[in-house]
Amino acid sequence: MQSAHPSNILGTPGSWGDIPRGASWRAALEQQLQPWWPKMYGYHLLKIGNLSAEINSEKCPISHQVNVGPHGGNLQVIADPYLLPFAEKSVDACLVAHTLAYAADPHRILREVDRVLIDDGWLVMTHFNLLSLLGIGKLVPVVRHRQPFRAQMFTQMRLLDWLGLLNYEVMYQSRVQVLPWCRQGGKMLSTHLPALGCLGVMVARKRTLPLTPTAKKIGLRKPSLSRAVGATKSYRDIP
């Protein structure tokens, strides 16, 4: 039986404008990613989801940037994120901006992204931090069914575990916007208490070798030393 579409479950927003204060949150994420775009090279950059499509990546040297999603006006390819219409290991970088937050099966999307990424390819991911004021809002019955509280929120450690299982090396991780209702997110609090930031950013690379290689233990067989036939024995006189 075909699984229900994520938008029917979590109310996937069509743009950052559909999320309260979404424009300022997008600007905060773009500022965090600015130093990393120039480091990515290759031929194809894939942006999965409507929110990813609106993230500014002009500083990325990858010229062919494709927006992919199930529906929307700012997309070049209309496709299911769970079944990307791209060959295995054909994409150099992939952006999933809050895509997992509105996915019914986040693990499946990560596995599909891993399938199309080349070896040493880049994965850029943003998310809502569960251990933040937004996470507390999910406990309030009046607002938990509204945006953005209805979205899934993850802790940093949980996402690190997922990436570790897929053998990704996290190059950068950060959290911003401690005060989600402020346009600047509370600069002082964001500086001294970044762990409480409502928005999380991760930049990782797909590795083909284990990140923590373990030396293979090889049992060395001791040579059997048997006396040669007919060999003379030397005796020492006991005093």
Side-chain angles (χ1 to χ4, degrees):
M1 183 175 68
Q2 188 177 4
S3 60
H5 199 282
S7 61
N8 297 332
I9 300 174
L10 301 173
T12 305
S15 68
W16 287 98
D18 294 338
I19 303 175
R21 298 168 297 276
S24 60
W25 292 357
R26 183 190 63 187
L29 295 174
E30 290 174 346
Q31 185 177 2
Q32 292 293 312
L33 294 174
Q34 269 189 351
W36 288 95
W37 290 126
K39 300 180 181 181
M40 302 178 193
Y41 292 91
Y43 300 99
H44 308 290
L45 167 63
L46 202 62
K47 296 181 176 182
I48 300 179
N50 294 306
L51 300 183
S52 301
E54 294 184 357
I55 297 293
N56 186 356
S57 56
E58 292 181 353
K59 290 191 174 182
C60 182
I62 301 176
S63 58
H64 189 218
Q65 302 183 12
V66 182
N67 302 333
V68 183
H71 52 79
N74 196 25
L75 304 176
Q76 285 85 41
V77 177
I78 303 298
D80 190 342
Y82 299 104
L83 297 170
L84 296 174
F86 303 101
E88 183 177 349
K89 296 184 179 182
S90 61
V91 176
D92 301 278
C94 188
L95 170 64
V96 284
H98 284 64
T99 308
L100 303 185
Y102 296 97
D105 191 348
H107 306 84
R108 185 178 171 188
I109 287 187
L110 283 180
R111 289 193 296 267
E112 186 67 2
V113 168
D114 180 70
R115 181 185 68 82
V116 300
L117 270 180
I118 65 171
D119 296 338
D120 293 327
W122 293 85
L123 172 59
V124 181
M125 185 166 56
T126 69
H127 63 95
F128 290 121
N129 180 23
L130 180 62
L131 303 179
S132 65
L133 292 177
L134 287 182
I136 296 176
K138 291 182 70 68
L139 303 176
V140 182
V142 179
V143 300
R144 65 184 179 186
H145 297 295
R146 304 175 185 173
Q147 292 286 8
F149 306 101
R150 66 186 307 172
Q152 296 183 95
M153 301 183 186
F154 309 102
T155 63
Q156 201 91 332
M157 290 303 301
R158 187 177 183 185
L159 294 177
L160 288 175
D161 288 340
W162 290 354
L163 294 179
L165 290 174
L166 294 173
N167 206 40
Y168 279 76
E169 180 183 2
V170 177
M171 314 296 293
Y172 174 75
Q173 54 179 317
S174 176
R175 280 158 288 189
V176 295
Q177 298 291 115
V178 175
L179 301 179
W181 55 81
C182 295
R183 185 173 182 180
Q184 300 297 328
K187 286 187 176 180
M188 184 174 296
L189 288 176
S190 298
T191 301
H192 298 286
L193 296 172
L196 299 180
C198 296
L199 307 178
V201 178
M202 282 188 177
V203 180
R205 298 197 72 176
K206 178 181 178 180
R207 300 305 189 188
T208 55
L209 297 176
L211 299 180
T212 55
T214 56
K216 184 178 180 181
K217 296 182 179 179
I218 303 177
L220 298 177
R221 187 178 62 180
K222 295 182 179 179
S224 58
L225 300 177
S226 59
R227 295 183 180 276
V229 179
T232 59
K233 298 180 180 180
S234 62
Y235 297 92
R236 186 177 63 178
D237 296 333
I238 301 176

